[in-house]
């Protein structure tokens, strides 16, 4: 459900912002999706400079590699890895997301959108919808149902890979807490 997607996205972005604010700037580099899709070469060059690595144009040919082909075959979620960067591929949400979902997303993730310099489309800062516990319970149930339905259509190998990845991430998270 879009509520859960927005919440997870906002939490992930907040962790990155917290890290950025807690370490020396010479150790932190961030790239927005828009930068990467609109200016891939400039973005790659800038990242290479930050890493003190030599830029080579073939870096943008990643999609032609065997690794990209293997990743793309491993799951539908990775299909685009075997394609070049899709220029100007941002703001698709404006066509693909309903206004109801966009209002939910901007209400949940609005403060992070603001911190990252994104413009909001529908919900102004301070005007976010305040969801009740009952609303959130409904969103969570819809999310659980959608995940279950999706997993029913995933092939066995993909399902096994996802389970291994989830287990591995849980192990990493457990180590960072201990």
């Amino acid at each position: 459900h879009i509520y859960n997607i927005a919440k997870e996205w906002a939490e992930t972005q907040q962790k990155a912002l917290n890290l950025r604010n807690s370490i020396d700037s010479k150790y932190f580099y961030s790239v927005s999706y828009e930068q990467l899709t609109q200016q891939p070469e400039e973005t790659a060059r800038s990242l290479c400079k930050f890493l003190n690595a030599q830029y080579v144009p073939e870096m943008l040919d990643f999609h032609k590699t065997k690794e990209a082909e293997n990743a793309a075959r491993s799951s539908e979620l990775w299909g685009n890895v075997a394609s070049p960067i899709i220029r100007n591929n941002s703001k698709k949400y404006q066509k693909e997301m309903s206004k109801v979902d966009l209002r939910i997303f901007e209400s949940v993730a609005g403060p992070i959108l603001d911190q990252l310099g994104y413009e909001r489309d529908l919900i102004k800062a301070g005007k976010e919808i305040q969801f009740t516990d009952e609303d959130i319970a409904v969103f969570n149930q819809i999310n659980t149902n959608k995940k279950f339905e999706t997993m029913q259509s995933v092939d066995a190998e993909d399902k096994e890979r996802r389970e291994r990845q989830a287990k591995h991430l849980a192990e990493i998270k457990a180590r960072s807490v201990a």
Side-chain angles (χ1 to χ4, degrees):
H1 188 271
I2 195 68
Y3 173 86
N4 303 86
I5 292 168
K7 188 172 179 205
E8 185 173 329
W9 180 86
E11 288 170 358
T12 302
Q13 299 308 310
Q14 186 62 63
K15 287 176 183 177
L17 291 169
N18 292 346
L19 180 61
R20 179 189 71 187
N21 295 333
S22 69
I23 64 173
D24 190 308
S25 62
K26 69 181 177 184
Y27 299 115
F28 188 90
Y29 187 87
S30 65
V31 175
S32 73
Y33 181 77
E34 291 74 16
Q35 287 172 297
L36 181 62
T37 59
Q38 293 170 14
Q39 301 175 315
E41 183 177 337
E42 295 86 345
T43 302
R45 285 181 182 278
S46 176
L47 177 59
C48 286
K49 182 177 179 184
F50 175 80
L51 295 171
N52 197 27
Q54 181 181 355
Y55 171 79
V56 291
E58 292 79 19
M59 289 176 172
L60 297 178
D61 291 334
F62 63 88
H63 59 283
K64 297 176 182 177
T65 66
K66 191 74 173 161
E67 291 85 1
E69 184 181 314
N70 290 338
R73 276 198 313 252
S74 73
S75 171
E76 285 182 35
L77 297 174
W78 291 96
N80 279 349
V81 173
S83 300
I85 293 172
I86 304 168
R87 291 182 179 265
N88 300 315
N89 194 40
S90 57
K91 297 198 177 198
K92 286 192 319 187
Y93 70 89
Q94 291 174 328
K95 292 178 239 152
E96 297 176 2
M97 190 183 290
S98 72
K99 288 189 188 258
V100 169
D101 282 353
L102 185 53
R103 282 187 177 89
I104 293 170
F105 191 93
E106 289 185 349
S107 291
V108 173
I112 300 296
L113 290 167
D114 298 341
Q115 286 183 61
L116 294 173
Y118 288 106
E119 290 182 31
R120 299 194 204 189
D121 292 289
L122 300 175
I123 302 292
K124 296 192 183 313
K127 302 292 184 185
E128 294 86 2
I129 301 166
Q130 299 303 311
F131 299 105
T132 66
D133 290 342
E134 292 80 22
D135 293 332
I136 295 168
V138 169
F139 298 155
N140 288 337
Q141 187 58 55
I142 292 169
N143 191 57
T144 299
N145 294 346
K146 285 184 175 191
K147 282 183 170 183
F148 179 79
E149 289 170 17
T150 299
M151 290 308 287
Q152 299 310 303
S153 64
V154 172
D155 71 63
E157 284 182 32
D158 196 7
K159 192 180 234 180
E160 183 181 329
R161 270 190 297 279
R162 290 175 192 224
E163 288 169 359
R164 279 196 317 266
Q165 290 168 346
K167 182 180 176 190
H168 186 64
L169 286 172
E171 290 169 357
I172 291 169
K173 286 179 183 179
R175 278 185 283 181
S176 65
V177 173

